[in-house]
Amino acid sequence: KLFYSTHPTMTSVEVAQIAEHDGNYGTYAQNTNSKLGDDNDDSRCYKCSEWHWFRWLIWGFLLLTSLFLCALSAKYYSFQDSVLGWNHYHKEKFWVYLHINFCFWPMLLGIWQLNGPLRRKYINLHRWFGRIYVICCYIGTIGGLYMAQNAHGGFVTTLSFTMIGVLWILTTSIAVYFIKFSKRDKEFRIKNHRIWMIRSFALMIGVAMFRYWLPLFQTFGYGANFKGEDVNDYESQEEFDKEFEGYLQAYGAASWFCWVFNLCVAESYMFIQSNYISNK
């Protein structure tokens, strides 16, 4: 109402665009000295519209990525040894099931938490999804940290996967602190809760992005012809050793790119939104 009274000739569609972006009608009116019809206002509305579609594009990509990994992970709910794959997974299958089956739900539910319109429309559902996300984060990470100690690629990969687990718990815990325990005002708490949950999701979705980075590195010649750990699938032991070594290099590189790149993208997204879109 404050915004609309400040610019009474602005259409309801333009008001909705600004409100969708800033979260309330007053923010933009309080942070601009321009009048309706000025070039700054037109540029502002244009940027909001463009950013709105860009955000939906990113969300659509993350949705497909989440569903892709959930589809790959669904088979583990059969609890059959045949789905475990690598031999060393059979020795630690309890931790494999603990990690994958509990991380399945943050992957499935987390993406809906990032959708602003859905989040605001179904706020109670958002809170329950958040509780499930946090509980599964803590439990699933326990299995992931154990599995990281025996990951392919040795120390480099172990360090990367361990850092993912620790940082995922840390960012999620900080997000919970701001929304549940912080004594600051509501706007401050919600803003920081959102920031840290974006970081949390960026780390969590790294598991899915790993499935993209690994074959990408393999296409550059690192274990491109690797067929698995059965030596009988290769013409000689030497060929297996060569391909397996290349695969381990690709595996180690992908283990870092899958989450470091995500955090860089997340930080860039929030920086652009805060400094060039929100105009705060």
Side-chain angles (χ1 to χ4, degrees):
K1 292 180 180 179
L2 173 61
F3 178 83
Y4 196 75
S5 62
T6 308
H7 301 293
T9 58
M10 180 168 278
T11 66
S12 60
V13 174
E14 291 171 325
V15 172
Q17 288 177 344
I18 301 300
E20 166 65 20
H21 170 67
D22 283 334
N24 58 71
Y25 291 120
T27 303
Y28 179 59
Q30 294 169 0
N31 288 308
T32 181
N33 294 319
S34 60
K35 297 181 179 179
L36 185 65
D38 289 348
D39 291 339
N40 290 338
D41 245 15
D42 293 340
S43 175
R44 167 76 178 197
C45 292
Y46 175 77
K47 288 193 297 182
C48 284
S49 178
E50 292 298 303
W51 185 251
H52 174 77
W53 287 108
F54 180 67
R55 287 191 302 173
W56 275 100
L57 183 63
I58 293 178
W59 187 81
F61 171 76
L62 294 176
L63 174 63
L64 293 177
T65 299
S66 298
L67 294 178
F68 167 69
L69 188 63
C70 287
L72 292 179
S73 304
K75 63 182 180 180
Y76 289 95
Y77 277 92
S78 67
F79 297 100
Q80 297 179 1
D81 291 348
S82 58
V83 304
L84 292 175
W86 295 98
N87 290 333
H88 69 276
Y89 282 173
H90 291 267
K91 301 177 182 179
E92 52 190 45
K93 59 182 179 180
F94 171 78
W95 303 103
V96 173
Y97 288 132
L98 185 69
H99 172 62
I100 295 179
N101 290 336
F102 274 94
C103 289
F104 173 91
W105 294 104
M107 185 71 64
L108 183 63
L109 302 180
I111 185 62
W112 305 104
Q113 303 290 79
L114 299 180
N115 189 298
L118 291 178
R119 182 175 64 244
R120 288 186 287 272
K121 184 176 181 180
Y122 304 103
I123 186 63
N124 289 329
L125 194 62
H126 167 73
R127 290 166 179 162
W128 277 105
F129 278 3
R131 295 183 182 107
I132 297 173
Y133 181 100
V134 172
I135 293 173
C136 290
C137 165
Y138 293 149
I139 299 177
T141 300
I142 295 174
L145 290 175
Y146 183 90
M147 292 174 60
Q149 310 314 306
N150 299 311
H152 289 307
F155 175 76
V156 172
T157 307
T158 295
L159 178 61
S160 176
F161 287 154
T162 300
M163 289 184 65
I164 294 178
V166 172
L167 290 175
W168 190 27
I169 287 181
L170 181 62
T171 53
T172 304
S173 298
I174 294 175
V176 172
Y177 165 77
F178 276 115
I179 203 63
K180 296 293 292 185
F181 304 106
S182 176
K183 303 301 182 182
R184 299 290 297 272
D185 59 273
K186 183 177 181 180
E187 180 180 356
F188 178 87
R189 291 189 293 110
I190 293 177
K191 177 181 178 180
N192 282 275
H193 171 71
R194 176 179 176 273
I195 289 173
W196 284 100
M197 282 308 301
I198 288 177
R199 291 168 178 158
S200 172
F201 186 83
L203 289 164
M204 187 267 297
I205 200 73
V207 179
M209 298 305 295
F210 176 82
R211 299 297 189 276
Y212 296 151
W213 284 107
L214 180 58
L216 180 62
F217 280 112
Q218 287 184 281
T219 59
F220 288 104
Y222 295 97
N225 298 318
F226 183 70
K227 306 173 185 176
E229 57 186 338
D230 189 351
V231 181
N232 296 325
D233 293 334
Y234 303 86
E235 295 182 359
S236 63
Q237 180 69 43
E238 290 74 17
E239 181 187 5
F240 169 78
D241 293 338
K242 178 182 177 181
E243 294 298 330
F244 188 55
E245 180 65 26
Y247 175 79
L248 292 181
Q249 293 177 4
Y251 200 95
S255 71
W256 285 91
F257 271 84
C258 71
W259 65 273
V260 174
F261 180 80
N262 284 7
L263 280 183
C264 290
V265 172
E267 294 298 328
S268 299
Y269 173 89
M270 291 187 289
F271 177 82
I272 292 173
Q273 185 179 40
S274 175
N275 292 278
Y276 296 100
I277 304 298
S278 293
N279 210 23
K280 294 182 179 180

